[in-house]
Amino acid sequence: MIGTGYVGLVAGTCFAETGNDVICMDVNEEKITQLQKGRVPIFEPGLEELIRRNVAEERLSFTTDLPWAVQSSLIVFIAVGTPSSEDGSSDLSYVMEVARSIAGAMDGYRVIVTKSTVPIGTAQKIRGEISSLTRFQYDVVSNPEFLKEGAAIEDFMKPARVVIGADEVRVAEIMKELYAPFMRTGAPLLVMDTRSAEMTKYAANAMLATRISFMNEIANLCDHVGANVNMVRQGIGTDRRIGTPFLFPGLGYGGSCFPKDIKSLIQVASENDYPLKLIKAVEEVNELQKHVLINKIIRFYSSELAGDLEQLKNSVNTETGHPMTAADESAGTPEGDYSYGFSLDGKKLPDMAFKSSNQELPSYRTPKFRESGGGHSPVAGKIFSIWGLAFKPQTDDIREAPSLTIIDQLLKLGATIQVYDPEAMEETRKIFGNKIRYGKNNYESLKDADALILVTEWNEFRNPNFNKMKRLLKYPVVFDGRNQYSRKEMRELGFLYFSMGRP
Ligand code: NAD
């Protein structure tokens, strides 16, 4: 396995778990030294235990010696990164460099498999490159990976399907044998040509990203028209043609795959003179979505309601948590019913506190905002607590995470940021250093904060101690980017609560 990152380490470990001898190779010496000492460089549930077992049983080893790894193996996977180049296309330099090194090290027939996500035509390109560098026989296979970070072991051990792009029958048989232990649940192993296999990976990610952007747009429209996206989601997800997964609105997709794969697909299409209109829109919506919550925050602090916060705090009955001045919300309002925003003294929240526009850039970036008071920022001097930094729960991966945009923008607007994430604190520290504060736990990050911003829906944030939260926060204000809490409950507890698509 050449490249011992997220995919290489998980795939290599799972292949070892099914009885194969696996060598995981990487150029990163520090990473390999750590792994040789039994330390796992990434957080992935169940991975550490699996690595330990397979190392102990001598099926899994780690090295920086590529020629040795290649000469000891029949099948050589390329699992290195394929980041975005400046123009959005995939940077194939790592993949091609590895392909050349494999060719130089070969001492007989090898199966060379691209596990990395690579643009359509890459297998052919590798074949061409290697042919000039070796006299030995080889086959090139495309075997895209569909695992999800956070559930990677489960996904790899019990895949929904395995895609093998092989232009020769002999090599398809070798790959079928390798994957046989993973197919016992009856999931299909689909053999196709290499181009179709490469395209399948992009099409899958584009489809999932489309669902996310679609639902985010519907949620934004719900904010405008007074519908509840939770109800809408259930109303459509129960249709078997639509299905329930990937219909939760949020802050836009992030991570190491969707953003770069969508960009790469758009670039491939443009190189082939086919403008992918839908996918371009998916990306555009996603970029805007990262700013929707910041926009709500800015609009709230620009509204007269923000001036009433002292009153809100004092108006909460500490016994029941009920705000005593809430005039228009009956406590019995069911979660699913349309109800307008929280009110103080019978004053409705101004429309602008909820509305976001996808037709224009978020308001705080418009010239109008900048002109107002020479760039006066309504959040300057405010302290925000952020729960969740990873791009999704169960991972420490913060690549392209919405949290980064939110922190960055709020810092620029003069706010102070206090963060907590169960796993991604170290990664975040590498980016923001001491520009932000790091809580020992989620409650510590709330201390004296003007508001909580919930960014990543970790399980441990689902059922927090709300009374403790209220005691720690300066004001009981929550901006929930993941719709984690019941609006009714939050209201009853005396929070001023903003969520996505649930006005
Ligand atoms: P990663 O950055 O975690 O790991 C890549 C590894 O390759 C690094 O450890 C790096 O040191 C190593 N590397 C770079 N150049 C090398 C070389 N010349 N020789 C040996 N090792 C080298 O990346 P990742 O998340 O594992 O992704 C790898 C590929 O898999 C990408 O194409 C990605 O799109 C794809 N993919 C990722 C996921 C995911 O969830 N992370 C899922 C499916 C597919």
Side-chain angles (χ1 to χ4, degrees):
M1 188 67 61
I2 312 298
T4 306
Y6 223 105
V7 166
L9 187 56
V10 169
T13 305
C14 291
F15 284 135
E17 179 69 8
T18 51
N20 300 288
D21 289 329
V22 179
I23 303 166
C24 282
M25 182 271 159
D26 204 288
V27 283
N28 184 330
E29 286 179 18
E30 167 69 16
K31 192 180 269 189
I32 293 299
T33 308
Q34 293 296 319
L35 282 161
Q36 284 167 339
K37 286 183 185 157
R39 290 189 208 121
V40 180
I42 51 168
F43 172 74
E44 181 61 43
L47 181 61
E48 197 167 335
E49 187 193 328
L50 225 53
I51 291 177
R52 204 173 299 138
R53 182 164 64 233
N54 283 282
V55 168
E57 292 171 11
E58 297 183 1
R59 286 189 299 269
L60 182 62
S61 59
F62 302 98
T63 185
T64 53
D65 185 347
L66 182 139
W68 175 72
V70 171
Q71 284 154 18
S72 312
S73 312
L74 167 66
I75 307 175
V76 184
F77 283 88
I78 303 177
V80 297
T82 47
S84 280
S85 306
E86 282 213 340
D87 64 358
S89 63
S90 294
D91 175 358
L92 280 181
S93 57
Y94 303 104
V95 169
M96 297 314 289
E97 181 194 325
V98 168
R100 284 190 290 274
S101 305
I102 294 170
M106 276 164 59
D107 56 0
Y109 173 75
R110 291 294 180 279
V111 179
I112 299 160
V113 188
T114 51
K115 197 61 158 155
S116 303
T117 302
V118 288
I120 300 98
T122 303
Q124 198 181 351
K125 204 169 164 187
I126 291 175
R127 217 175 274 134
E129 188 89 7
I130 293 183
S131 68
S132 59
L133 298 170
T134 185
R135 60 191 168 86
F136 297 105
Q137 288 212 348
Y138 61 90
D139 282 303
V140 179
V141 172
S142 164
N143 172 216
E145 182 49 57
F146 299 96
L147 63 77
K148 298 184 291 293
E149 291 184 14
I153 305 289
E154 174 83 4
D155 285 349
F156 201 93
M157 298 301 283
K158 294 180 194 153
R161 80 314 207 175
V162 166
V163 170
I164 302 292
D167 298 327
E168 302 288 338
V169 175
R170 64 175 173 179
V171 73
E173 291 307 315
I174 295 174
M175 295 304 289
K176 274 186 195 166
E177 196 183 320
L178 176 67
Y179 273 104
F182 303 94
M183 314 314 297
R184 280 187 307 210
T185 50
L189 183 144
L190 304 166
V191 179
M192 55 186 81
D193 61 278
T194 50
R195 281 178 177 264
S196 302
E198 288 162 345
M199 183 71 198
T200 300
K201 173 66 190 173
Y202 284 99
N205 276 359
M207 180 70 180
L208 295 171
T210 302
R211 283 175 77 100
I212 292 173
S213 278
F214 170 83
M215 217 46 209
N216 283 336
E217 281 227 295
I218 294 294
N220 294 343
L221 186 58
C222 283
D223 272 341
H224 283 256
V225 299
N228 179 341
V229 75
N230 259 4
M231 296 292 109
V232 177
R233 179 175 56 76
Q234 290 168 40
I236 63 173
T238 39
D239 185 327
R240 275 202 295 273
R241 293 167 303 176
I242 297 173
T244 51
F246 271 75
L247 288 185
F248 287 89
L251 303 170
Y253 57 75
S256 66
C257 291
F258 284 6
K260 83 170 169 63
D261 292 349
I262 298 306
K263 281 189 175 60
S264 176
L265 187 61
I266 291 170
Q267 187 61 24
V268 166
S270 120
E271 280 164 19
N272 286 276
D273 293 326
Y274 185 79
L276 276 182
K277 289 187 188 160
L278 177 64
I279 308 302
K280 277 186 189 164
V282 165
E283 193 190 33
E284 197 184 330
V285 169
N286 195 60
E287 276 314 301
L288 288 168
Q289 195 64 24
K290 291 184 190 170
H291 299 275
V292 168
L293 194 61
I294 311 173
N295 219 9
K296 288 187 189 210
I297 294 168
I298 297 296
R299 285 175 170 172
F300 169 68
Y301 286 104
S302 308
S303 74
E304 62 178 281
L305 198 75
D308 290 339
L309 282 174
E310 262 327 306
Q311 193 187 337
L312 170 72
K313 191 170 177 145
N314 298 332
S315 71
V316 172
N317 180 329
T318 44
E319 294 282 305
T320 64
H322 271 275
M324 295 184 292
T325 50
D328 70 338
E329 294 272 5
S330 80
T333 308
E335 176 65 11
D337 274 2
Y338 166 63
S339 62
Y340 208 80
F342 197 92
S343 88
L344 282 169
D345 286 342
K347 267 184 284 178
K348 300 241 186 204
L349 271 177
D351 264 9
M352 60 184 256
F354 295 106
K355 286 193 175 173
S356 60
S357 166
N358 278 350
Q359 272 77 55
E360 56 178 59
L361 282 172
S363 63
Y364 66 92
R365 296 198 302 187
T366 59
K368 202 168 157 199
F369 176 78
R370 272 187 249 118
E371 279 159 22
S372 68
H376 164 75
S377 158
V379 296
K382 302 258 180 286
I383 301 175
F384 292 101
S385 165
I386 293 190
W387 283 7
L389 301 162
F391 85 95
K392 66 176 183 179
Q394 303 297 327
T395 179
D396 60 355
D397 198 339
I398 56 164
R399 291 178 280 187
E400 303 272 338
S403 63
L404 304 183
T405 308
I406 291 171
I407 294 172
D408 195 47
Q409 294 294 343
L410 289 175
L411 284 177
K412 280 188 185 131
L413 289 164
T416 296
I417 304 294
Q418 308 182 154
V419 301
Y420 177 72
D421 185 286
E423 295 295 335
M425 301 284 267
E426 279 317 304
E427 290 301 310
T428 308
R429 208 184 287 270
K430 287 180 196 164
I431 295 183
F432 291 106
N434 57 10
K435 285 191 198 140
I436 59 176
R437 300 172 184 164
Y438 303 87
K440 284 199 192 76
N441 54 49
N442 53 332
Y443 295 113
E444 196 187 75
S445 76
L446 293 176
K447 209 160 173 291
D448 299 325
D450 288 84
L452 163 66
I453 307 172
L454 195 149
V455 176
T456 316
E457 67 278 30
W458 283 90
N459 273 342
E460 64 186 84
F461 302 154
R462 295 227 163 125
N463 241 340
N465 181 334
F466 289 109
N467 284 325
K468 189 170 174 181
M469 285 165 67
K470 279 227 316 271
R471 278 199 304 277
L472 290 164
L473 280 164
K474 193 159 152 203
Y475 300 112
V477 180
V478 174
F479 297 94
D480 179 355
R482 303 286 175 181
N483 289 354
Q484 289 298 283
Y485 308 130
S486 148
R487 289 174 308 157
K488 176 172 169 279
E489 200 182 327
M490 292 303 273
R491 258 191 323 265
E492 287 175 2
L493 286 162
F495 281 94
L496 200 48
Y497 176 65
F498 303 87
S499 56
M500 309 296 284
R502 299 188 302 169

